[in-house]
Amino acid sequence: MKRRKQSGWTITGWTAGVATALAASVAAAAPASSEAVLSASSEARASSSATAALPDPRALGAEVFTGWAFDTCHTPPLSTLRAWQASRYRALGVYFGGRGRACPSQPHLTASWMRGAATLGWHVLPVYVGSQSPCVRNIDKTHVPIGSTPWSQGRAEGRDAVARARALGMKERSALYLDMEAYDRSRTGCAATTLSFIRAWNREVGAQGFFPGFYSSAESGVRHLEEARKAGVDDLPSIMWFARWSGKSSLYGEPALAKTAWRPHRRIHQYVGNVEVTHGGRTLWIDRNKVDAPVAIVD
């Protein structure tokens, strides 16, 4: 995500063979589950509906933020958030876990920091950068590929994401966002492996009472999941965070997504990347985002 983004890829549409393979692969990817799941998981699975009719997440206990956000590789200290109160931003993405993080060291990111940010009026978008697609396009992410058992691996990393979120004081009904960097979805086997991992991560996060969100390039992971939604696949994310560096925010005009999909209050658009910005005398390298989506709920 931050400093490693690759958005704006032009990838050809799926062939009929790839679409057929999708339907076959998702049917075999996960055994039926008899476990009881919380409503966050149930409504996430309902997002596979072709009509995309979903409830307002606030009715399910989510805290929704609508406004401007930034994400940056290292979580800034609270003193920087105080300085940035002079800006229009009131939310920020933080990289709280995952073996694929570009900035795994986060000395400022603690439960105390989370409470302090909330006290200052900031909302947090927690980002988990786990294992990446075997056909990831970013060479810096090739060292953390999804393995030969994507379903079990996705569930394990989903459990890790929830445990790390709870350790930071995030409550149930918080949103957690899986970061999947741009990948070559035209490679059928790789696409199936990646989708299985994503679905398993979503199921585990939702089963534990959190809202599973998803971040990727609009022309890669986002278009892939939109095709899966149209095909009736279940265990899709509750919230879609798409990167299209157009320079202009457009939450509900994204061409990779049907206008009725992932709404209401279920979208984030990352519309500018890797810019140097200064507010209150403090400078950060950021990506810019427009948000209408659930955020973290802090104890």
Side-chain angles (χ1 to χ4, degrees):
M1 198 174 191
K2 187 67 194 85
R3 310 284 337 251
R4 299 296 186 197
K5 266 317 155 284
Q6 298 184 48
S7 58
W9 289 98
T10 301
I11 302 174
T12 58
W14 281 9
T15 64
V18 174
T20 301
L22 169 66
S25 65
V26 298
S33 173
S34 60
E35 67 184 280
V37 294
L38 297 172
S39 60
S41 179
S42 299
E43 65 91 22
R45 295 219 293 272
S47 69
S48 63
S49 167
T51 61
L54 289 170
D56 187 326
R58 295 173 297 185
L60 299 174
E63 179 179 325
V64 168
F65 171 74
T66 302
W68 304 98
F70 69 90
D71 60 269
T72 188
C73 202
H74 287 101
T75 303
L78 291 176
S79 58
T80 297
L81 294 190
R82 290 190 190 95
W84 274 53
Q85 286 180 309
S87 74
R88 67 178 179 177
Y89 298 105
R90 287 298 177 268
L92 73 158
V94 300
Y95 295 86
F96 77 98
R99 70 190 190 112
R101 284 185 295 177
C103 298
S105 176
Q106 298 284 350
H108 300 298
L109 185 54
T110 63
S112 177
W113 182 93
M114 292 287 293
R115 292 191 296 270
T119 298
L120 290 171
W122 288 87
H123 304 272
V124 172
L125 299 162
V127 183
Y128 186 89
V129 191
S131 297
Q132 297 293 298
S133 173
C135 48
V136 65
R137 292 183 179 274
N138 186 338
I139 193 170
D140 293 330
K141 301 297 185 185
T142 57
H143 68 292
V144 288
I146 299 166
S148 60
T149 57
W151 187 264
S152 59
Q153 188 175 354
R155 295 199 72 174
E157 294 193 28
R159 288 192 293 273
D160 180 62
V162 169
R164 289 175 181 271
R166 286 177 171 154
L168 289 170
M170 295 183 224
K171 299 170 65 175
E172 288 186 6
R173 302 306 190 243
S174 292
L176 305 180
Y177 292 88
L178 176 65
D179 181 328
M180 188 64 65
E181 294 296 306
Y183 55 94
D184 185 357
R185 65 187 182 89
S186 69
R187 292 173 55 181
T188 308
C190 178
T193 294
T194 306
L195 182 58
S196 180
F197 175 90
I198 294 166
R199 294 174 59 229
W201 193 93
N202 293 336
R203 178 179 288 195
E204 187 63 34
V205 168
Q208 296 201 41
F210 290 73
F211 284 91
F214 179 74
Y215 168 89
S216 192
S217 164
E219 290 295 340
S220 177
V222 172
R223 193 173 288 279
H224 186 187
L225 265 62
E226 172 66 357
E227 293 286 350
R229 183 191 67 80
K230 290 177 179 177
V233 176
D234 63 3
D235 292 310
L236 296 182
S238 295
I239 314 141
M240 191 64 76
W241 186 345
F242 54 94
R244 187 180 293 280
W245 291 0
S246 61
K248 182 178 180 180
S249 63
S250 180
L251 282 170
Y252 297 101
E254 168 51 45
L257 296 173
K259 291 187 181 299
T260 56
W262 281 285
R263 60 189 307 171
H265 308 300
R266 296 170 183 273
R267 291 195 186 191
I268 304 171
H269 180 196
Q270 186 183 83
Y271 63 97
V272 172
N274 293 337
V275 292
E276 188 177 32
V277 180
T278 301
H279 290 289
R282 298 293 183 95
T283 300
L284 295 171
W285 280 92
I286 68 168
D287 300 331
R288 302 182 191 270
N289 303 272
K290 183 65 181 292
V291 181
D292 182 21
V295 294
I297 303 172
V298 183
D299 277 329

